[in-house]
Amino acid sequence: MSTHITPSNAAAAQIHETLEYVTSCELPTPWATFQLHAFIDHPSGKEHLAMVLGDVTDGLPVLARIHSECLTGDALFSQRCDCGAQLEGSLQQIAAEGRGAVLYLRQEGRGIGLLNKIRAYRIQDSGADTVEANQQLGFADDLRHYGMCEPMLQHLGIKTLRLMTNNPRKMDALKKMGVPVVERLPLILNRNPFNTRYLDTKAEKLGHILPNEGLEHQDESE
């Protein structure tokens, strides 16, 4: 039976009036069999997922990844970003620990959607970086929000996080919602000639905590 979850945080409640838990099932992966939980956010119509392994309801900090959808990277093996590698790497780390969760949020292209992301890629092919491309399309550099995370975590019984992320904005958003993040674990994977400029731009313009080892190779990805 479906249950409705209302965010306790006032700001999150304004964005997501009602988040509904729909159902759960087992999801075998190459690394472990996760429990897959499905949610729908009625105001936006977006469907979000949580992949959970082990007992996460004991009050201890949970190894977690908050992952925004990237169809090209997650499913089509694109090397233009590091998203697919981060998703796989986080699932592998959770499986190795035997306990953890990935929240999979439908926020393609830092919130601009799949078709606009492809339009942004075309602009990048002409020399713009990832932030400039979004801006040329009339979007902010990052339109994502994390208001759905608090009620999802509440439903799963997760109290505190050990968060796998390179993005301080994500940590700040969770903390403002009252979700304690007791540890940040870097997730730096798959720097390659195709995504070097993308990663350097995220560090320089979006504040991501990343090594700058690719700065001298920007021309390879333009």
Side-chain angles (χ1 to χ4, degrees):
M1 179 179 295
S2 297
T3 59
H4 290 271
I5 306 164
T6 301
S8 59
N9 180 274
Q14 291 177 358
I15 300 171
H16 285 264
E17 297 174 359
T18 303
L19 185 74
E20 181 184 358
Y21 164 72
V22 180
T23 191
S24 302
C25 69
E26 290 190 351
L27 183 69
T29 74
W31 313 286
T33 297
F34 289 79
Q35 286 292 315
L36 183 66
H37 305 267
F39 302 82
I40 183 168
D41 171 54
H42 288 290
S44 69
K46 294 291 182 69
E47 299 156 337
H48 305 291
L49 301 172
M51 298 174 65
V52 179
L53 183 66
D55 181 8
V56 296
T57 64
D58 56 8
L60 297 175
V62 174
L63 181 63
R65 165 81 180 157
I66 309 296
H67 189 88
S68 295
E69 177 184 37
C70 175
L71 180 68
T72 50
D74 298 342
L76 301 182
F77 315 108
S78 171
Q79 297 298 290
R80 299 184 69 136
C81 63
D82 58 342
C83 303
Q86 288 187 318
L87 178 61
E88 181 173 333
S90 60
L91 292 173
Q92 289 176 328
Q93 290 190 45
I94 289 170
E97 192 159 304
R99 178 178 177 272
V102 171
L103 301 192
Y104 193 87
L105 310 181
R106 307 296 298 279
Q107 304 196 107
E108 182 77 50
R110 297 200 304 276
I112 67 174
L114 179 60
L115 296 183
N116 282 322
K117 184 174 82 168
I118 303 306
R119 293 186 178 103
Y121 278 171
R122 180 60 179 264
I123 295 172
Q124 290 173 50
D125 288 344
S126 299
D129 65 35
T130 181
V131 169
E132 293 166 346
N134 277 26
Q135 292 172 344
Q136 287 185 37
L137 290 171
F139 298 110
D141 55 14
D142 192 342
L143 292 175
R144 291 176 296 178
H145 62 82
Y146 302 96
M148 71 291 282
C149 293
E150 191 271 339
M152 290 174 73
L153 294 169
Q154 181 183 24
H155 175 81
L156 298 171
I158 296 174
K159 304 297 185 184
T160 59
L161 302 178
R162 297 166 52 224
L163 192 65
M164 293 180 279
T165 186
N166 307 319
N167 185 359
R169 294 185 187 181
K170 190 179 297 183
M171 295 180 60
D172 290 342
L174 292 171
K175 290 178 180 178
K176 287 177 181 178
M177 288 186 291
V179 178
V181 179
V182 300
E183 182 181 7
R184 184 189 74 85
L185 293 92
L187 200 59
I188 300 170
L189 300 165
N190 192 36
R191 179 181 281 271
N192 65 71
F194 300 101
N195 69 15
T196 291
R197 190 185 185 200
Y198 164 81
L199 294 175
D200 292 340
T201 299
K202 288 208 298 184
E204 294 165 9
K205 294 187 176 182
L206 300 176
H208 289 221
I209 303 171
L210 295 166
N212 62 0
E213 60 197 51
L215 287 173
E216 68 273 21
H217 303 301
Q218 288 186 6
D219 289 342
E220 296 177 14
S221 61
E222 293 183 354

